[in-house]
Amino acid sequence: MSPPEWTIIDFIHTGPWWRNRGILVLNLWLLLPLLSSSVNGLNSSLVNGLQIIPAWQEYFNHPSGKTLGLINAAQNIGCLVGLPISPFLSDGLGRRPTLFLGSLIMLAGIAIQTAATSVQIFVAARIIMGIGLEFCSNSAPLLLIELSYPTQRGKITSMYNSSWYLGSIISAWVCFGAYERAEHSLWSFRAPTLVQAMIPFAQVVLIWFIPESPRFLVSKGFEGRAANILAKYHANGGDERDPLVVFEIAQIRHAIRMEEEINTSTSFRSLFATPGNRKRMRLIIAIGLFSQWSGNGLVSYYINLVLEGVGVTKTETKAIINGSLQCFNFVIAIGAAMLVDWVGRRKLFIISNAGMLVSFGSWTVTIALYNNFDNLAAAKATIPLIFIFYFFYDIAYTPMLVAYTLEILPYRIRAKGFALMNLTVMLTVAFNQFINPVAIDAIGWWYYLVYCAWLIVELVFVVIFIVETKGRTLEETSAMFDGDEQPHDLIAMGGDAATMSMSRRNVVELDHKYSQKEELELQELHSRPDSDLMPRAL
């Protein structure tokens, strides 16, 4: 088959994106689903913040042990309850209705948590919030990746997971501010809880102004509505015959038809039914594991143990280090999200894993020196090494955990494959929460050597298996694992459709041009004096 005459690169907007009204308005609307990750960060971090507020401790009788563990785990329990349901809602109802429903459920949970009078009610509220959060966490990134402008898809989707740190930062400062303003009042912990409602409330009110995913609409047979959305937000001028719109619609339609032939069912079993899907799942499960088992779990959930292990005991110092680390993570992750299309996914993963291995190895050495020889210089060196480690972690696993997972999954199994990745992360987080503190207490710094060995395994896997995906449309990327012909067929289908559209537009414009010329000549003829129109007398 001969290469297509046109590719999507020929039709994309070339000037500053903010000068294209459609792209500008689209990106403003996409802020709503983008902030779902910040809600996750805020909700997940809030319990840690509430524990430092005396009024919360007194009101709930200083929960500890299993009770405190249940409070911490309640949101994840809700997420696990909602996880098997969320992809079916996203694929059946649509991305927008699922996001709307999830936000409503979260608002109900937040209301119950704010008014909670016992630990049991508090835990129940956290479980309800977890169910709603899971619905939002499944549908929001799907809406982002399927609606974004083609050249901005990688950056916007990578920003999604990076925004988790923004919620974590807000949680820390809101709890601190509430404690400062109302130290012993019940509102010192109820006010931070109410802050959780801001983004879900905005999503409930504004979600219907955001367009639905064109991929979802095409899959349900509403190609006209999908073309109208793409014309309004992707084509400068809103013409459904615009070559970019025709190219995208042709690829989406053809990709969904090919997926129906490959994935005859859309159950969770279909995720492993074909060789291409098994390759995808190998990558998705691996990066889900690596995102939590690279040593970052030690700091994320037990920074107190880590810092005390190198002699940092003052509460204020720990708080400053932890708060500074969250801000640092957010800045680095957002910066890395801007690089995914320039540097490439594969290079960022390799650099990330290599850097984590070296920095974590150095971190292990400093901890060993301090614990075995009371070397204070080594203890001081540990703090910057933690920041260096997170620098390398944040350039790949924070921005691309969600983005890479979604872009390698075809439409028909995208929601379910994404749910499986979330399940993998939840299970590894549970491992971190229960095993890490036990292991540190039992063998101390020697436990760090286990992570050093595991980081070597991660680096080898990434070098061998991670596939580069930059420079492709969403349909071309997801088809890479189903054989060499699939991406080529998609490019050819889109190129042929766009070529035909351009040819038709040229003919129409040429006909219009000649019609205008003939009309002008006729007007000029009628405007002449009558004597000029009559034959001269002999």
Side-chain angles (χ1 to χ4, degrees):
M1 183 182 295
S2 60
E5 183 178 350
W6 303 97
T7 65
I8 197 169
I9 302 300
D10 298 297
F11 313 122
I12 59 175
H13 180 71
T14 54
W17 63 266
W18 55 86
R19 293 185 179 178
N20 185 310
R21 187 179 182 278
I23 303 176
L24 176 61
V25 173
L26 174 63
N27 287 345
L28 290 175
W29 284 128
L30 289 180
L31 285 174
L32 272 183
L34 184 67
L35 288 174
S36 291
S37 184
S38 298
V39 176
N40 190 358
L42 175 58
N43 293 1
S44 300
S45 305
L46 187 68
V47 172
N48 289 333
L50 293 178
Q51 289 178 52
I52 68 172
I53 299 177
W56 185 86
Q57 291 283 359
E58 294 170 8
Y59 191 77
F60 292 106
N61 298 319
H62 299 272
S64 60
K66 293 181 180 179
T67 302
L68 185 58
L70 181 60
I71 291 173
N72 282 319
Q75 180 174 290
N76 282 339
I77 293 172
C79 288
L80 284 172
V81 172
L83 189 141
I85 307 170
S86 59
F88 292 97
L89 292 176
S90 293
D91 287 340
L93 298 178
R95 283 46 170 144
R96 288 191 307 172
T98 305
L99 183 57
F100 175 81
L101 179 61
S103 297
L104 272 182
I105 294 174
M106 273 200 290
L107 288 176
I110 291 166
I112 296 172
Q113 181 178 318
T114 303
T117 57
S118 66
V119 169
Q120 291 80 2
I121 296 176
F122 192 90
V123 168
R126 299 288 296 174
I127 292 174
I128 293 171
M129 289 169 59
I131 296 172
L133 181 62
E134 176 56 32
F135 290 170
C136 294
S137 297
N138 185 270
S139 57
L142 295 177
L143 191 60
L144 283 174
I145 200 168
E146 294 173 358
L147 194 54
S148 298
Y149 193 74
T151 55
Q152 298 179 357
R153 170 177 53 82
K155 297 182 183 69
I156 290 176
T157 315
S158 297
M159 288 173 64
Y160 174 81
N161 208 44
S162 304
S163 300
W164 189 96
Y165 288 118
L166 178 60
S168 180
I169 294 168
I170 293 172
S171 172
W173 285 108
V174 165
C175 288
F176 177 79
Y179 171 69
E180 286 285 303
R181 294 283 182 177
E183 183 175 348
H184 295 291
S185 168
L186 295 182
W187 286 103
S188 64
F189 65 85
R190 284 179 174 168
T193 300
L194 284 176
V195 170
Q196 294 176 284
M198 293 176 60
I199 296 175
F201 180 77
Q203 290 175 330
V204 166
V205 173
L206 299 174
I207 188 62
W208 303 113
F209 292 97
I210 302 176
E212 180 58 272
S213 161
R215 274 83 180 175
F216 170 79
L217 292 173
V218 171
S219 72
K220 298 300 182 181
F222 301 111
E223 290 188 16
R225 287 173 57 188
N228 181 263
I229 290 171
L230 291 174
K232 183 176 181 180
Y233 294 103
H234 286 195
N236 194 6
D239 185 1
E240 293 184 17
R241 297 171 301 173
D242 186 278
L244 175 60
V245 176
V246 175
F247 188 100
E248 290 186 278
I249 286 292
Q251 279 206 342
I252 294 169
R253 184 195 309 119
H254 189 59
I256 290 176
R257 287 177 180 172
M258 288 193 302
E259 291 168 26
E260 289 173 351
E261 297 175 0
I262 297 171
N263 300 298
T264 54
S265 67
T266 56
S267 64
F268 280 99
R269 187 180 301 174
S270 62
L271 297 176
F272 301 93
T274 67
N277 287 351
R278 288 191 287 273
K279 292 177 184 177
R280 295 181 179 99
M281 291 305 108
R282 178 176 61 195
L283 284 173
I284 289 168
I285 292 173
I287 63 175
L289 290 172
F290 298 168
S291 72
Q292 301 299 322
W293 278 359
S294 295
N296 56 303
L298 292 173
V299 176
S300 297
Y301 302 100
Y302 296 99
I303 190 171
N304 186 56
L305 295 177
V306 172
L307 294 177
E308 287 187 351
V310 292
V312 179
T313 56
K314 290 183 63 177
T315 301
E316 290 182 0
T317 305
K318 293 176 186 176
I320 292 172
I321 292 172
N322 187 38
S324 300
L325 182 61
Q326 300 308 312
C327 295
F328 176 81
N329 287 336
F330 177 65
V331 171
I332 299 302
I334 292 296
M338 300 297 102
L339 297 176
V340 293
D341 289 324
W342 180 52
V343 178
R345 282 71 158 164
R346 176 178 163 81
K347 287 183 180 178
L348 285 176
F349 271 117
I350 292 174
I351 294 170
S352 174
N353 279 95
M356 284 193 296
L357 176 60
V358 173
S359 56
F360 195 87
S362 304
W363 178 2
T364 303
V365 170
T366 60
I367 288 180
L369 289 173
Y370 174 75
N371 281 271
N372 292 336
F373 304 103
D374 292 325
N375 189 319
L376 295 178
K380 293 179 181 179
T382 301
I383 306 304
L385 282 172
I386 292 175
F387 279 78
I388 294 171
F389 169 83
Y390 264 95
F391 170 85
F392 287 106
Y393 176 87
D394 287 331
I395 65 175
Y397 286 96
T398 299
M400 291 194 293
L401 172 63
V402 171
Y404 193 78
T405 296
L406 292 178
E407 68 183 10
I408 67 174
L409 286 167
Y411 174 81
R412 282 173 62 83
I413 60 170
R414 184 169 292 140
K416 296 176 182 64
F418 184 52
L420 181 63
M421 188 278 289
N422 285 331
L423 176 62
T424 303
V425 171
M426 289 179 195
L427 293 177
T428 51
V429 166
F431 177 91
N432 286 335
Q433 290 176 330
F434 289 103
I435 301 300
N436 283 346
V438 175
I440 292 175
D441 287 340
I443 61 177
W445 70 269
W446 290 95
Y447 184 56
Y448 286 69
L449 294 176
V450 176
Y451 279 106
C452 289
W454 179 251
L455 283 166
I456 295 173
V457 174
E458 288 186 9
L459 180 59
V460 172
F461 180 93
V462 165
V463 171
I464 294 175
F465 293 110
I466 290 291
V467 178
E468 184 55 71
T469 60
K470 73 172 184 176
R472 299 172 181 269
T473 67
L474 184 57
E475 279 66 38
E476 293 163 13
T477 300
S478 60
M480 289 174 60
F481 298 85
D482 296 316
D484 296 333
E485 292 184 4
Q486 301 281 17
H488 183 86
D489 288 346
L490 285 169
I491 297 173
M493 180 66 66
D496 290 344
T499 302
M500 291 177 62
S501 176
M502 291 186 68
S503 299
R504 289 171 182 168
R505 289 184 69 182
N506 289 338
V507 170
V508 171
E509 289 174 0
L510 189 62
D511 289 343
H512 183 61
K513 181 178 178 181
Y514 278 116
S515 297
Q516 286 183 321
K517 184 178 179 182
E518 291 174 358
E519 185 177 349
L520 287 172
E521 289 177 350
L522 187 59
Q523 289 177 356
E524 183 181 356
L525 184 64
H526 282 290
S527 65
R528 293 178 186 175
D530 292 343
S531 57
D532 290 340
L533 299 175
M534 299 296 292
R536 294 182 184 272
L538 295 177

